[in-house]
Amino acid sequence: MKKILFLLLISTFTTEANPYTDQAKRVTIHRDEWGIPHIYGKTDADAVFGLMYAQCEDDFARVEMNYIEKLGRMSEVKGEKELAYDLYIKLLIDEKEAKAEYKTAPVWLKKLLNAYADGINYYLQKHPEVKPRLITHFEPWYPLLWTDGSIGAISTGDVTEQETALFYGLPAQVASVKYQTPDEKLTGSNGFAVGPALSKSGHSLLYINPHVTFYFRPEVHVESEEGLSVYGAVTWGQFFVYQGFNPYNGWMHTSSEVDVADAYIETTRSRNGQMEYLLDGKWIPFQTKIITLGSRKIKAYFNHRGPVLAARNGKWISVRSYNRARKSLMQSWLRTKTKGLEDYKRVMDMRANTSNNTVYADNKGNIAYWHGNYVPRRDATKDWGVPQDGSSSQIDWKGLHSVDEIVHVYNPASGWIQNCNSTPYTVSGTSSPLRTNYPVYMAPDGENFRDRNAVRLFSQTGKLDLQGLIGLGYDRRLMAFETLLPALVNAASQESDLGEVVEELKKWDYNASTSSIPQTIAIRWGLKILPKIPKPKQFGGETEVIQNMESYARTGSKLAMAQALREVLAELKRDFGTWHVAWGDLNRFQRVSNGDALQMDDSKASIPVPFTSSAWGQLPSYTSRSIQGSKKWYGVNGNSFIAAVEFGPKIKAYSLLAGGQNGDPTSPHFFDQGQMYAEGKFKDIYFYKSDVLKHAVVSYHP
């Protein structure tokens, strides 16, 4: 009897010490030869549990860091340089709201949120050797801080974190602008869809090509017995596939300039020690709350529109935005289980995702595009690219536009759709929506050279299969230099000391290659002149990239162009002993660490890459720069997870991931896709369980 009681006590203790064991047994993870996790769970919650566990196995540090960021606690691990960003986040994302929304969440969503936290906490329990930098226990409300998978999901009405930091009295040194190369600001993502009329097989095709910071998303495959079956890219720490496909349809998100946040100039006064703002002739007290940043206590101000983020010309600026919401998280999950165009439109009609354009294709031959999703209704005669007078409530948003009211195209006669973070009015060539049918705030985006290149290619192509679509997506034409380089050649031809380099530039066909010397010169010269190109704002707040470059090519200073070229030649001679440097000798791909700071080493092995930043009109993107004084340039963002999908009776798909799946430098999957990435060579996607089992290298329960 004592023995039985002892065993019972052991069983009870074990269950209490490991509350996740039963759920772990309902999950199986198969990893293929690339380390990609194929996760199978009995329920959706089981699948989420397994997904989070697998993400932590691959890169717990990135999972944790994404939530350190969204909690506004970056300065606690990276120092005071992050104080401005922490303040920005805490003003825009309300932790109390997230906690309250968790408590009242629908049962199905609460199960997923619990599974999210349990999967990560179980991983930490099983891996005591893993030492979190800050978060030792994950809470189920964390995903409600970050409800959209976009890398740029924070919208602020163009008020910068530097302005906010200065307004609230943070030291000037922590309010400094973070460094970006000029071309990094012009990169983005590509999404293509091909309808049956342009497809060799008669099936719809989808091309998924986000351009983001390297290693921002891994590749995953998640299934459950409750109907979940989805493959694609998941943002570290999130439990839904952000860009991907299921057996019925697929979706690619690009970002755009759809106006989803606005700034307002407030008329204020101080009365009896309280700040008030004027609205419709009445003075209304600002709401306040204390924001804690380390030892600092900051009194923050809010009105009915949102937080006060800045002061300009002595006037306070409030911002109306929609940066997180439970409804947005629900939409992000529910689209992964859609079964066709009408079903997908019903999920789109939740109108809760603020940062997404969507390129869509399905197994019924449908293709579609929506420019944005959450679009507030406003007075179309006003320029919403500038702050509005906040003293009248008439300027406030008037609800949301319906999905069919926003800029969209369904099954265009051209047979194709492309979006490259550009205007939707070229999305399908001659079948594109008409600009005159929509208010400017819906699509203030200008045209860019990637967009122009994609339109050129689709307008000229014959019927495509997946390999043809991949080939189109990897077109190497640097169209921006068709505009800029003739101006440089003209300017340099008038300088006697530049004759040799002019002859070299004249040989270039504008296509990227590792052997090209003129490409090296052109890219380095372009980076010098980009900041000098005037960028006037249009009505609606955006700038026209192509028009600006064309204007500069016509009217820019020839002396300045020639002098920038001389500087390029001098720098190349300094670093390499000659200006005759092939692009592949300069432009490299290397992954030697997985820390916060970029670490690259000229003395260590790296791979030549022919591609450039997509700022120059090339469709594949590879933005590189000198890292910590390196002579060679190393990639920092661009093509990340790329996939090409055919929606036939069975899914056929290929993918490629920047570098590799795992963040551990000792893992065989840290950089096993590096050479393939540099060459644009894709691998097979294993979508069906029979294929997964055939290629499984290891299978296990969490």
Side-chain angles (χ1 to χ4, degrees), residues 539-594:
F539 185 90
E542 293 312 304
T543 185
E544 292 282 349
V545 173
I546 292 180
Q547 291 179 18
N548 296 343
M549 286 194 185
E550 289 175 341
S551 176
Y552 181 80
R554 290 191 307 270
T555 64
S557 165
K558 290 182 171 56
L559 288 176
M561 292 182 192
Q563 183 55 32
L565 180 58
R566 288 190 184 94
E567 292 172 10
V568 167
L569 301 180
E571 290 167 2
L572 288 171
K573 288 176 183 177
R574 178 197 66 200
D575 292 342
F576 297 95
T578 176
W579 60 259
H580 295 82
V581 180
W583 179 247
D585 292 336
L586 171 70
N587 193 54
R588 313 292 291 187
F589 191 27
Q590 186 182 80
R591 191 180 189 188
V592 295
S593 70
N594 199 44

Side-chain angles (χ1 to χ4, degrees), residues 214-274:
F214 284 167
Y215 322 120
F216 184 73
R217 296 189 182 108
E219 182 174 348
V220 301
H221 178 202
V222 196
E223 291 202 12
S224 79
E225 295 176 21
E226 292 184 333
L228 181 69
S229 178
V230 61
Y231 195 110
V234 61
T235 304
W236 292 113
Q238 293 189 320
F239 64 79
F240 56 89
V241 168
Y242 179 63
Q243 292 156 324
F245 60 93
N246 62 32
Y248 309 100
N249 46 225
W251 52 95
M252 164 60 199
H253 298 306
T254 62
S255 56
S256 69
E257 302 300 334
V258 176
D259 194 326
V260 296
D262 289 314
Y264 300 84
I265 302 167
E266 304 293 353
T267 301
T268 61
R269 73 177 185 184
S270 176
R271 182 171 177 270
N272 298 327
Q274 187 173 47

Side-chain angles (χ1 to χ4, degrees), residues 80-345:
E80 284 209 340
K81 65 180 181 178
E82 298 293 340
L83 278 173
Y85 189 65
D86 283 350
L87 175 60
Y88 207 48
I89 289 295
K90 288 190 173 186
L91 284 163
L92 294 165
I93 297 177
D94 192 320
E95 188 176 303
K96 289 183 179 179
E97 287 181 3
K99 291 176 180 177
E101 287 184 349
Y102 167 73
K103 289 180 180 178
T104 60
V107 172
W108 68 266
L109 179 60
K110 188 171 283 190
K111 287 180 180 178
L112 301 183
L113 292 166
N114 291 339
Y116 149 87
D118 289 348
I120 301 175
N121 292 327
Y122 182 49
Y123 170 81
L124 290 174
Q125 183 187 93
K126 287 192 68 176
H127 296 82
E129 75 281 4
V130 174
K131 304 300 181 184
R133 298 179 69 171
L134 188 66
I135 307 175
T136 57
H137 185 83
F138 282 70
E139 299 293 340
W141 52 267
Y142 283 3
L144 289 162
L145 299 172
W146 192 14
T147 55
D148 181 340
S150 172
I151 194 169
I154 302 298
S155 300
T156 63
D158 292 330
V159 178
T160 68
E161 67 189 74
Q162 290 75 33
E163 288 182 285
T164 300
L166 292 173
F167 177 78
Y168 282 106
L170 289 180
Q173 59 266 32
V174 306
S176 59
V177 178
K178 294 181 180 178
Y179 175 76
Q180 268 190 318
T181 58
D183 56 340
E184 281 183 82
K185 300 175 184 178
L186 295 177
T187 58
S189 302
N190 303 334
F192 306 148
V194 174
L198 198 61
S199 167
K200 285 184 178 179
S201 65
H203 305 140
S204 296
L205 311 176
L206 180 67
Y207 189 70
I208 298 170
N209 182 202
H211 301 164
V212 296
T213 305
F214 284 167
Y215 322 120
F216 184 73
R217 296 189 182 108
E219 182 174 348
V220 301
H221 178 202
V222 196
E223 291 202 12
S224 79
E225 295 176 21
E226 292 184 333
L228 181 69
S229 178
V230 61
Y231 195 110
V234 61
T235 304
W236 292 113
Q238 293 189 320
F239 64 79
F240 56 89
V241 168
Y242 179 63
Q243 292 156 324
F245 60 93
N246 62 32
Y248 309 100
N249 46 225
W251 52 95
M252 164 60 199
H253 298 306
T254 62
S255 56
S256 69
E257 302 300 334
V258 176
D259 194 326
V260 296
D262 289 314
Y264 300 84
I265 302 167
E266 304 293 353
T267 301
T268 61
R269 73 177 185 184
S270 176
R271 182 171 177 270
N272 298 327
Q274 187 173 47
M275 291 300 298
E276 299 176 333
Y277 67 102
L278 186 65
L279 183 69
D280 297 334
K282 297 179 181 179
W283 290 98
I284 301 173
F286 280 99
Q287 297 174 351
T288 62
K289 74 175 181 180
I290 301 299
I291 290 178
T292 302
L293 295 176
S295 60
R296 290 179 172 84
K297 303 290 185 182
I298 294 174
K299 185 177 183 179
Y301 294 89
F302 299 78
N303 66 8
H304 71 289
R305 297 182 176 110
V308 175
L309 293 185
R312 295 175 183 170
N313 300 318
K315 293 280 192 175
W316 285 18
I317 306 293
S318 69
V319 170
R320 175 81 184 269
S321 62
Y322 188 78
N323 286 312
R324 56 143 303 280
R326 184 173 67 196
K327 193 175 182 182
S328 175
L329 182 62
M330 293 166 67
Q331 181 174 344
S332 296
W333 170 265
L334 290 171
R335 67 170 169 253
T336 67
K337 300 186 75 170
T338 52
K339 295 183 177 181
L341 181 58
E342 293 307 313
D343 197 15
Y344 198 92
K345 285 174 68 176

Side-chain angles (χ1 to χ4, degrees), residues 584-590 606-609 622 632-635:
D585 292 336
L586 171 70
N587 193 54
R588 313 292 291 187
F589 191 27
Q590 186 182 80
S606 59
I607 299 169
V609 178
Y622 186 83
K632 297 174 184 177
W633 287 6
Y634 297 96

Side-chain angles (χ1 to χ4, degrees), residues 509-667:
D509 63 358
Y510 305 115
N511 287 308
S513 74
T514 54
S515 62
S516 176
I517 293 172
Q519 180 177 341
T520 300
I521 298 166
I523 297 295
R524 295 189 72 141
W525 174 80
L527 289 174
K528 287 186 178 296
I529 60 96
L530 266 183
K532 300 175 182 177
I533 298 176
K535 301 171 180 63
K537 293 285 188 178
Q538 308 289 320
F539 185 90
E542 293 312 304
T543 185
E544 292 282 349
V545 173
I546 292 180
Q547 291 179 18
N548 296 343
M549 286 194 185
E550 289 175 341
S551 176
Y552 181 80
R554 290 191 307 270
T555 64
S557 165
K558 290 182 171 56
L559 288 176
M561 292 182 192
Q563 183 55 32
L565 180 58
R566 288 190 184 94
E567 292 172 10
V568 167
L569 301 180
E571 290 167 2
L572 288 171
K573 288 176 183 177
R574 178 197 66 200
D575 292 342
F576 297 95
T578 176
W579 60 259
H580 295 82
V581 180
W583 179 247
D585 292 336
L586 171 70
N587 193 54
R588 313 292 291 187
F589 191 27
Q590 186 182 80
R591 191 180 189 188
V592 295
S593 70
N594 199 44
D596 297 335
L598 290 171
Q599 296 178 23
M600 303 298 174
D601 191 334
D602 284 343
S603 68
K604 293 184 178 179
S606 59
I607 299 169
V609 178
F611 313 116
T612 72
S613 162
S614 61
W616 309 113
Q618 179 186 252
L619 294 182
S621 183
Y622 186 83
T623 302
S624 62
R625 54 181 164 88
S626 172
I627 306 294
Q628 297 176 339
S630 65
K631 294 179 180 179
K632 297 174 184 177
W633 287 6
Y634 297 96
V636 293
N637 81 25
N639 282 13
S640 50
F641 167 77
I642 318 111
V645 189
E646 180 177 330
F647 293 95
K650 290 189 69 176
I651 293 290
K652 180 180 180 182
Y654 303 102
S655 70
L656 184 56
L657 195 64
Q661 175 77 13
N662 197 292
D664 182 354
T666 66
S667 168

